[in-house]
Amino acid sequence: MEERNKTLGEFIIENQKAFQYSSGELSRIINSIRLAAKVVNYKVNKAGLVDIIGAAGEQNIQGEDQQKLDVYANEVFIQTLINREIVCGIASEENDDFITVQGSDNSHNNKYVILMDPLDGSSNIDVNVSVGTIFSVFRRITPIGTPVTSEDFLQPGINQVAAGYVIYGTSTMLVYTTGHGVNGFTLNPAIGTFYLSHPNMKFPQNGNIYSVNEGNYVHFPQGVKNYIKYCQREEEDRPYTSRYIGSLVSDFHRNMIKGGIYLYPTSSKAPKGKLRLLYECNPMAFIAEQAGGKATDGFGRIMEIQPTELHQRVPFFCGSYNMVEKAEQFMAEAL
């Protein structure tokens, strides 16, 4: 079988020994995400046909209107993981608190917790723009056999054992890492199978795309303003191209393939930034670093931040290594 024809299932089996702890649980978690992603993909692709688009009439913990598909995706991923009895705890951007998962025998013997943004960019659903699912996996800290506590979820990103995203776009892809590089799998919807389509994905060291909501320019810190002006100046290989979808998974995915930087800085409107450290920034930072890129809060490495709360927000600069370095340079100079 040629490399490009390898299925996700075959890839997981072949690479199971590469996991630091090859008990098979991590493989089963990825398999569960694969299954849930196919279910959500089906709903996302027919969202325009049924009354599933639009707001659900509730707000999530951040006070944002929940889209109906958000709620649906959240339930699908949570139930799929609970039913397979492979994680001891789940934290979701859509839930106020974490969920403790016990086995059918009332035990708490599973070793992993998962944190997720079940449908990132969901405000784009109504206008048919790509959305995604982001996930992050840690080994628990509390003793096996006891219920999970917040300590298991409030770990720095360097402790992640796996992270990935699913992008529901012109094609549906699952991209993930277990700390041994980044691989992308594309769904063949005719037979419901993911195939290895993007082996060993890498960020180009340099790029010519910058992704930031320039509508917030007046609210940005001076360092970010200076960097944006640098991107726009006509010199050397610039001006860069501005590309901003407003769906983190989509912007990140494009920049990893083509080369670019994504910025969601602090602003006078969002003094701590907008993206969530645990559900968005940590997993994307892990993927970026495994793909030769870089992810910081403008001054330091995202994955070294010690979280203090489940829904903590941080500024996020992520992408091609040299571009992030340059942005950090402008941030430091503006202090």
Side-chain angles (χ1 to χ4, degrees), residues 104-163:
S104 52
D105 56 354
N106 296 324
S107 68
H108 295 273
N109 292 329
N110 292 324
K111 304 181 187 74
Y112 296 96
V113 297
I114 188 163
L115 301 95
M116 63 180 181
D117 182 349
L119 209 60
D120 181 78
S122 55
S123 61
N124 284 318
I125 292 165
D126 291 9
V127 291
N128 211 6
V129 170
S130 298
V131 292
T133 297
I134 307 172
F135 64 91
S136 172
V137 182
F138 290 85
R139 273 179 74 86
R140 68 182 302 170
I141 293 175
T142 50
I144 291 172
T146 63
V148 290
T149 71
S150 59
E151 182 187 7
D152 294 303
F153 298 95
L154 299 179
Q155 299 187 54
I158 48 173
N159 291 356
Q160 289 175 102
V161 293

Side-chain angles (χ1 to χ4, degrees), residues 202-210 254-261 320 323:
K202 292 287 183 190
F203 266 99
Q205 288 289 95
N206 298 289
N208 65 354
I209 296 171
Y210 70 102
R254 181 204 52 242
N255 288 353
M256 178 159 63
I257 290 171
K258 292 182 178 281
I261 182 172
S320 294
M323 297 183 82

Side-chain angles (χ1 to χ4, degrees), residues 275-323:
L275 300 181
R276 287 75 174 181
L277 174 61
L278 297 181
Y279 312 113
E280 296 166 311
C281 302
N282 265 340
M284 289 311 210
F286 189 22
I287 296 166
E289 290 190 10
Q290 285 294 314
K294 185 168 183 170
T296 80
D297 64 359
F299 301 99
R301 189 181 177 201
I302 285 287
M303 294 214 296
E304 289 179 0
I305 297 172
Q306 175 60 54
T308 55
E309 54 184 289
L310 277 179
H311 297 282
Q312 183 172 342
R313 299 174 192 257
V314 292
F316 192 53
F317 297 67
C318 179
S320 294
Y321 195 92
N322 292 342
M323 297 183 82

Side-chain angles (χ1 to χ4, degrees), residues 38-79:
K38 285 197 283 188
V39 176
V40 171
N41 174 69
Y42 174 73
K43 287 288 188 183
V44 167
N45 282 337
K46 68 172 194 173
L49 296 174
V50 293
D51 181 29
I52 201 164
I53 58 173
E58 296 179 16
Q59 289 190 327
N60 63 14
I61 182 65
Q62 282 83 29
E64 300 161 335
D65 289 336
Q66 286 182 313
Q67 299 289 320
K68 291 178 184 176
L69 265 175
D70 268 16
V71 178
Y72 177 81
N74 196 38
E75 290 170 357
V76 167
F77 276 95
I78 288 172
Q79 282 309 313

Side-chain angles (χ1 to χ4, degrees), residues 242-260:
S242 174
R243 289 280 183 272
Y244 186 71
I245 298 168
S247 180
L248 171 60
V249 168
S250 302
D251 280 309
F252 179 96
H253 186 74
R254 181 204 52 242
N255 288 353
M256 178 159 63
I257 290 171
K258 292 182 178 281

Side-chain angles (χ1 to χ4, degrees), residues 9-28:
E10 290 165 344
F11 183 88
I12 289 170
I13 291 166
E14 282 181 23
N15 289 274
Q16 192 164 301
K17 289 189 175 66
F19 300 150
Q20 189 178 354
Y21 312 96
S22 58
S23 62
E25 281 173 299
L26 197 51
S27 299
R28 284 163 58 211

